[in-house]
Amino acid sequence: MTSFPARSPLSRLTALPTATYRLQLQPDFPFAAAERAVPHLAGLGVSHLHLSPVLEAVPGSTHGYDVTDHRSVRAELGGEEGLRALAATARAHGLGLVVDLVPNHMAASPVHNHARRAP
């Protein structure tokens, strides 16, 4: 394992989680809502936010495990811009992100899953 000097900016990127807090992202609790919670969570001593799946999922999904496109950050949550804003706010408060990626979890319906549509 590579080790970085304590003052290196890269040392923060390799920090191991010591106190994670799981956030269940969904249309009613998107990246912006998670971003607003960061100062409070940092004050509690949280080291990393554990995010539920952030990839494009069936519209209205409350869990995100019904992925429809592994190439896109979920628009209903704020898209890539929202995820980047959350990451920047977390970083500014000394928190890292742990993202839940489950490649084999996909929506089964061809209506929502581009990979299951007939050519």
Side-chain angles (χ1 to χ4, degrees):
M1 182 164 125
T2 304
S3 120
F4 299 100
R7 300 183 108 172
S8 166
L10 294 177
S11 64
R12 285 188 343 157
L13 298 176
T14 60
L16 295 175
T18 56
T20 61
Y21 190 93
R22 187 160 191 299
L23 294 173
Q24 184 62 50
L25 301 168
Q26 56 181 299
D28 290 337
F29 192 81
F31 297 130
E35 191 176 353
R36 289 189 297 273
V38 165
H40 176 71
L41 296 172
L44 294 175
V46 170
S47 69
H48 289 73
L49 302 178
H50 175 191
L51 305 180
S52 62
V54 301
L55 299 177
E56 202 59 63
V58 170
S61 175
T62 58
H63 51 79
Y65 287 99
D66 44 1
V67 174
T68 60
D69 189 348
H70 286 90
R71 302 168 297 177
S72 301
V73 175
R74 192 168 174 194
E76 283 183 307
L77 302 179
E80 185 176 339
E81 182 178 315
L83 178 58
R84 287 182 181 275
L86 171 57
T89 298
R91 190 176 313 114
H93 285 83
L95 277 67
L97 297 181
V98 175
V99 180
D100 194 343
L101 296 175
V102 187
N104 64 326
H105 283 216
M106 293 195 70
S109 168
V111 172
H112 297 294
N113 185 336
H114 72 90
R116 297 199 45 115
R117 290 186 195 127

